[in-house]
């Protein structure tokens, strides 16, 4: 019983501390676990207490183990072991000699294993010469950082009890390493709010995140339970904005800054209105000017004129916000004429429509003919002349030249019945050019259409080969050769 009396003195007769494992850089992110052990004797009892990682991070699982040995007689029976730990650690599991073993009870800063009817004998010279008791814990979010926290143990046995509540080793929880990411839209508009979401890995609810537009702070928002801070941002100027989020360091976590996000901010689109000038006295075969005025005024965009579901033309809007088209109705009755503005940068599109009653053509009207002249081929970005011959030639009026539905130009008919324009192709391919004569007086409208190949010339058939025109050695005569089909 002499051993037991000596062992009751906390601190024991001799203690030898030893550290094992790899060095740890506190607060520098993930690092290898650094275990540490401390050994001491008390009378004829030897104790080795080991912490698997004395510099853990929040959320890590660490284990404290206590090994009992005897250096002299008599045998000692261990009845219970109580492990003391910082209260911020959460108990996970326990073992005895490597086998899972349930704890008997636990408190805020301790967990206890008892043997019940089973006692754990420790012999000095025969097996079992030792017993090891393990307690595993999860490092909690409320643990202080960079502060050494005591650990220890007590036990009760057949030779008495021992108390070493702060014997060690101590545990120092590292600062959380954090990563901040920012989610922001790539485009926004002046005066329109958008949401900026900053997510902080390693942060905690309530921690502050600062949001920046360049070097200017635009708001501070705490993290929610999902570690996300959301800021409603309303840009006041157009242009490119560089946004970032800065997580502020706390007593438990390091600060971090997100990568920069570039957001292009444009002016708010204005609402436009399109007005179609009224049309009266329309007749089959006679020209009528469709005039659409867009507000706010200014160049850009096109107006699509439609007769019911049929597109008549797409006309560019001029500096005054006006687009005009000469329309020649071919049938009598009510026609629904629509004018749809496409919109332009900063201005939204708009549409208007009107019902136009078209009267039948007078019986004494004269039919006209229009003959369009265009080159067979043309080159991209090279201007070419196009013309139309109207018969009878002295009626007046005008000719509208169109590429598909888009107006190229409008030209008046001279005294000889000629109308001319210049067209500059912008892409290669085969295109249809239309000349629409408006009609005038009692002369009805007419039209003609021709095709132009842009960007290639059909083979003439004699080539560089056998010259017989069959294309097997020459230039070939089909459009397939031109377009590579």
């Amino acid at each position: 019983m002499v051993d037991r009396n000596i062992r009751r003195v906390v601190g024991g007769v001799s203690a030898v501390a030893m550290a094992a494992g790899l060095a740890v850089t506190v607060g520098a992110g993930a690092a290898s676990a650094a275990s540490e052990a401390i050994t001491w004797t008390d009378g004829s009892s030897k104790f080795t207490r080991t912490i698997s990682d004395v510099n853990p991070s929040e959320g890590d699982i660490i284990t404290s183990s206590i090994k009992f040995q005897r250096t002299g007689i008599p045998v000692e029976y261990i009845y219970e072991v109580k492990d003391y730990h910082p209260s911020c650690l959460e108990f996970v599991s326990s073992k005895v000699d490597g086998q899972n073993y349930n704890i008997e009870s636990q408190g805020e800063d301790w967990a206890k294993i008892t043997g019940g009817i089973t006692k754990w004998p420790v012999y000095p010279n025969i097996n079992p010469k030792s017993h090891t008791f393990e307690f595993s814990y999860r490092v909690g979010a409320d643990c202080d950082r960079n502060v050494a926290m005591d650990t220890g143990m007590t036990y009760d046995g057949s030779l008495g009890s021992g108390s070493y509540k702060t014997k060690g080793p101590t545990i120092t929880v590292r600062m959380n390493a954090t990563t901040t990411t920012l989610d922001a839209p790539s485009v926004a508009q002046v005066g329109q709010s958008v949401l900026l979401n900053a997510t902080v890995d390693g942060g905690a609810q309530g921690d502050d995140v600062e949001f920046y537009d360049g070097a200017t702070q635009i708001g501070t928002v705490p993290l929610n339970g999902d570690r996300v801070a959301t800021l409603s941002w309303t840009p006041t100027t157009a242009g490119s904005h560089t946004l970032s989020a800065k997580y502020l360091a706390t007593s438990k976590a390091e600060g971090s800054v997100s990568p920069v996000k570039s957001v292009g901010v444009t002016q708010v689109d204005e609402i436009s209105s399109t007005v179609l000038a009224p049309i009266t006295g329309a007749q089959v075969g006679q020209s009528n000017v469709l005039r659409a005025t867009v507000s706010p005024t200014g160049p850009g965009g096109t107006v699509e004129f439609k007769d019911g579901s049929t597109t008549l033309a797409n006309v560019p809007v001029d500096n005054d916000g006006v687009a005009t088209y000469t329309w020649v109705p071919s049938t009598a009755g009510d026609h629904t004429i629509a004018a749809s503005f496409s919109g332009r940068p900063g201005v939204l599109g708009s549409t208007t429509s009107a019902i136009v009653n078209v009267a039948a053509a007078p019986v004494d009207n004269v039919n006209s003919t229009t003959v369009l002249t265009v080159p067979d081929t043309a080159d991209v970005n090279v201007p070419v002349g196009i013309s139309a011959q109207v018969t009878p030639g002295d009626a007046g009026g005008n000719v509208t030249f169109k590429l598909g539905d888009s107006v190229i130009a409008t030209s008046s008919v001279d005294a000889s019945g000629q109308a001319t324009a210049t067209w500059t192709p912008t892409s290669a391919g085969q295109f249809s050019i239309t000349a629409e004569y408006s009609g005038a007086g009692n002369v009805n409208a007419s039209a003609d259409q021709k095709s132009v190949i842009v960007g290639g010339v059909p083979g003439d058939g004699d080539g560089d080969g056998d010259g017989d025109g069959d294309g097997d050695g020459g230039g070939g005569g089909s459009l397939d050769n031109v377009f590579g089909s």
Side-chain angles (χ1 to χ4, degrees):
M1 296 301 293
V2 174
D3 293 343
R4 194 59 17 207
N5 293 330
I6 296 175
R7 195 180 309 143
R8 287 195 181 99
V9 180
V10 177
V13 174
S14 65
V16 179
M18 59 182 178
L22 300 178
V24 174
T25 302
V26 176
S32 300
S35 65
E36 185 174 317
I38 184 168
T39 298
W40 71 96
T41 59
D42 198 348
S44 296
S45 293
K46 181 180 179 181
F47 307 88
T48 301
R49 178 173 169 79
T50 303
I51 302 295
S52 63
D53 188 356
V54 293
N55 292 129
S57 296
E58 177 184 327
D60 288 350
I61 302 295
I62 63 173
T63 299
S64 71
S65 64
I66 305 157
K67 183 177 182 180
F68 287 83
Q69 295 173 285
R70 290 286 293 171
T71 60
I73 58 175
V75 61
E76 181 173 12
Y77 291 86
I78 307 300
Y79 300 153
E80 69 175 37
V81 176
K82 183 183 288 187
D83 185 72
Y84 282 84
H85 58 80
S87 60
C88 64
L89 301 187
E90 176 189 357
F91 175 79
V92 174
S93 63
S94 56
K95 293 181 180 180
V96 176
D97 296 328
Q99 301 297 315
N100 291 333
Y101 197 96
N102 292 332
I103 59 173
E104 185 271 335
S105 59
Q106 63 176 311
E108 185 179 84
D109 62 349
W110 57 267
K112 183 172 70 174
I113 289 177
T114 58
I117 60 173
T118 301
K119 308 297 186 291
W120 293 287
V122 183
Y123 295 94
N125 48 17
I126 62 172
N127 289 327
K129 295 181 179 180
S130 67
H131 287 291
T132 301
F133 301 83
E134 298 178 28
F135 300 82
S136 293
Y137 306 95
R138 178 177 288 103
V139 179
D142 57 341
C143 285
D144 291 334
R145 304 301 197 269
N146 293 340
V147 176
M149 296 181 288
D150 289 331
T151 72
M153 50 83 68
T154 62
Y155 84 101
D156 188 30
S158 60
L159 299 180
S161 61
S163 179
Y164 318 96
K165 292 182 179 181
T166 60
K167 192 67 175 179
T170 60
I171 295 173
T172 303
V173 179
R174 288 178 285 174
M175 295 283 286
N176 289 9
T178 66
T179 301
T180 300
T181 56
L182 177 63
D183 180 28
S186 59
V187 294
Q189 288 187 326
V190 172
Q192 302 295 313
S193 63
V194 294
L195 295 181
L196 309 179
N197 291 299
T199 302
V200 180
D201 183 16
Q205 183 174 359
D207 294 348
D208 283 337
V209 176
E210 293 178 345
F211 292 83
Y212 287 85
D213 179 3
T216 303
Q217 184 177 335
I218 56 178
T220 301
V221 179
L223 293 174
N224 62 18
D226 295 323
R227 299 180 179 182
V228 176
T230 300
L231 174 71
S232 179
W233 172 56
T234 303
T236 58
T237 59
S240 179
H241 291 249
T242 53
L243 304 183
S244 61
K246 179 181 180 181
Y247 171 72
L248 302 181
T250 69
S251 62
K252 297 179 181 179
E254 299 170 336
S256 56
V257 180
S258 74
V260 170
K261 287 277 190 175
S262 293
V263 179
V265 179
T266 60
Q267 293 291 343
V268 177
D269 290 339
E270 294 184 70
I271 297 174
S272 71
S273 62
T274 301
V275 177
L276 188 62
I279 299 173
T280 59
Q283 287 185 352
V284 171
Q286 297 299 301
S287 61
N288 302 271
V289 176
L290 302 180
R291 178 185 177 91
T293 302
V294 175
S295 180
T297 61
T302 60
V303 169
E304 180 186 31
F305 291 101
K306 297 180 73 172
D307 179 1
S309 61
T310 302
T311 296
L312 301 175
N314 286 282
V315 182
V317 177
D318 65 17
N319 291 341
D320 296 323
V322 175
T324 59
Y325 174 67
T326 302
W327 169 54
V328 181
S330 59
T331 59
D334 288 338
H335 292 246
T336 300
I337 303 299
S340 298
F341 173 52
S342 64
R344 63 176 182 266
V347 180
L348 300 173
S350 54
T351 299
T352 188
S353 62
I355 303 296
V356 178
N357 182 262
V358 177
V363 295
D364 59 347
N365 274 14
V366 176
N367 289 330
S368 69
T369 59
T370 298
V371 177
L372 173 65
T373 300
V374 296
D376 292 331
T377 61
D379 294 323
V380 173
N381 295 327
V382 177
V384 295
I386 54 179
S387 63
Q389 178 65 53
V390 177
T391 304
D394 58 354
N398 58 65
V399 172
T400 298
F401 296 95
K402 294 168 63 176
L403 174 64
D405 294 327
S406 297
V407 173
I408 298 172
T410 298
S411 173
S412 59
V413 178
D414 64 18
S416 65
Q418 280 277 333
T420 60
T422 300
W423 169 53
T424 302
T426 58
S427 60
Q430 185 172 10
F431 299 93
S432 292
I433 305 296
T434 303
E436 296 179 346
Y437 172 55
S438 64
N442 68 336
V443 178
N444 290 332
S446 57
D448 191 18
Q449 187 177 77
K450 296 288 175 59
S451 293
V452 180
I453 295 174
V454 178
V457 180
D460 58 8
D462 54 12
D464 296 326
D466 59 15
D468 60 5
D470 60 9
D472 51 15
S478 72
L479 294 178
D480 290 344
N481 290 335
V482 176
F483 300 112
S485 301

